[in-house]
Amino acid sequence: MENLIIKWLFQTKAIQVCSEDMPFWYTSGTLGPYYINTHFLYGSKLDAEDILEYMGVIAGEKDLYPSRLYKKISEQYDSNEIFREVINLIVVKSKELSFDFISGGERRDFFFSIMAAKILKKPHVSIFKDGTMFESDFDFTKSTVVTPDSLNGKKALHIADLVTEASSYLRAWIPAIKFTGACISSSIAIVDRDQGGREALESNEIAFYSFALIQKDLFKNAFLNNYINEKQYLMICDFIDSPKIFMTNFIKSHPNFLDNQINAGGKAKERALLFIEKGLNL
């Protein structure tokens, strides 16, 4: 049976898989066969880039930020079927959990946390990267600065687009909510990259749920439903088994790849030189 989240991830290009002879460069200077932009589930890459640009425009007035952002996101919810269905999945799961308010971290969490709060009629706490927080009523008509112990004893459901190692939670979101006197008791992320995030959250007594786990089964489902071909699926399986061996074998079978990337200039050259600097071409 086809998994709808997997369908939407590929339909919106939230997951992109490379061709067999051109893996993606990651910012770390490593190579891999797929790229994940979960926020494209907002409807499309274009839609996601539009809302991110809008966030930049309204960033200077944080007290008005949540209400302005809610208005734009609610319009997308009404007009885009995929985004609406993703939010509805979050809402259904959220109803199984016990919490007093919903939190989301700047910026991509807001894509999903704000609309869920509205539908569930729960207050929303927007956590900004500079440490400031604003609490909004569920209809986003009023937002106030969150102060120490202002949410004392309450429980938060933190909604995120993606969890990798949960570093943002450990560094920012958990301490921010603790500052208010509350705690994050549960979290929902659309995608779990299966890189230790679940374990990190559970060790902090946070119940965690996701709709898609980045393992071989997800890509097998994608292959069976013709979102990727067999060569792409096998390449991904090799990468999941061992990213280092995947990179070593690719460079051996494509001896001109690094030279071509360096000659291409720009980011490709930067990543290729970083790859060589790390000794990953050996």
Side-chain angles (χ1 to χ4, degrees):
M1 181 178 178
E2 185 176 13
N3 181 306
L4 285 176
I5 280 287
I6 295 174
K7 174 183 177 180
W8 298 331
L9 285 167
F10 281 91
Q11 189 172 330
T12 62
K13 296 186 176 4
I15 292 182
Q16 290 179 276
V17 177
C18 69
S19 60
E20 302 91 87
D21 59 350
M22 186 56 69
F24 293 118
W25 282 115
Y26 299 146
T27 55
S28 58
T30 57
L31 291 166
Y34 59 82
Y35 213 90
I36 303 174
N37 288 294
T38 315
H39 58 297
F40 288 4
L41 288 173
Y42 187 67
S44 69
K45 177 181 179 180
L46 185 62
D47 290 337
E49 289 176 345
D50 176 67
I51 192 70
L52 285 172
E53 182 179 353
Y54 182 70
M55 288 178 181
V57 171
I58 64 175
E61 297 182 276
K62 289 193 174 68
D63 57 329
L64 299 176
Y65 186 112
S67 60
R68 289 177 175 175
L69 190 56
Y70 159 69
K71 182 178 180 182
K72 193 166 180 66
I73 289 174
S74 66
E75 291 171 356
Q76 182 74 357
Y77 177 84
D78 290 338
S79 63
N80 188 277
E81 182 179 2
I82 289 178
F83 179 59
R84 184 167 58 251
E85 291 301 324
V86 171
I87 294 295
N88 291 345
L89 281 179
I90 293 172
V91 167
V92 169
K93 183 61 186 177
S94 298
K95 288 180 178 178
E96 300 174 8
L97 306 171
S98 174
F99 59 96
D100 301 298
F101 65 94
I102 287 174
S103 60
E106 187 181 10
R107 292 185 297 172
R108 289 170 174 80
D109 292 355
F110 294 161
F111 282 58
F112 308 100
S113 61
I114 284 177
M115 201 65 218
K118 167 63 176 178
I119 296 171
L120 291 162
K121 296 185 177 181
K122 294 285 189 177
H124 182 273
V125 172
S126 303
I127 311 171
F128 292 90
K129 292 178 182 178
D130 65 2
T132 59
M133 289 177 281
F134 282 82
E135 181 184 6
S136 308
D137 49 11
F138 77 86
D139 57 1
F140 292 88
T141 57
K142 182 181 178 182
S143 298
T144 56
V145 176
V146 177
T147 56
D149 300 322
S150 59
L151 299 172
N152 199 39
K154 294 186 177 181
K155 297 188 296 183
L157 163 62
H158 191 93
I159 295 177
D161 68 321
L162 174 73
V163 167
T164 305
E165 298 174 347
S167 57
S168 294
Y169 285 81
L170 301 176
R171 184 189 70 254
W173 314 146
I174 293 173
I177 295 300
K178 187 176 181 180
F179 169 83
T180 72
C183 70
I184 298 177
S185 60
S186 55
S187 181
I188 294 174
I190 296 166
V191 172
D192 176 3
R193 290 203 63 154
D194 194 31
Q195 293 181 313
R198 173 184 294 275
E199 293 77 10
L201 293 177
E202 290 178 349
S203 69
N204 280 271
E205 299 183 340
I206 297 173
F208 177 69
Y209 184 84
S210 67
F211 299 105
L213 182 63
I214 302 301
Q215 290 184 337
K216 290 180 183 179
D217 284 349
L218 183 149
F219 293 103
K220 182 177 182 180
N221 187 299
F223 167 57
L224 294 175
N225 285 282
N226 298 312
Y227 299 126
I228 58 176
N229 61 41
E230 185 175 15
K231 287 184 178 179
Q232 288 173 312
Y233 170 60
L234 294 175
M235 177 175 57
I236 290 167
C237 289
D238 289 343
F239 177 79
I240 291 174
D241 285 339
S242 174
K244 187 172 183 179
I245 292 176
F246 165 83
M247 289 187 287
T248 299
N249 290 341
F250 178 82
I251 294 302
K252 285 181 178 179
S253 61
H254 297 79
N256 297 320
F257 177 78
L258 289 174
D259 287 339
N260 291 337
Q261 291 293 287
I262 291 170
N263 291 335
K267 286 188 177 181
K269 178 180 179 180
E270 291 175 11
R271 304 280 166 79
L273 291 175
L274 182 57
F275 186 90
I276 294 170
E277 181 183 328
K278 289 184 172 185
L280 296 171
N281 58 317
L282 302 178

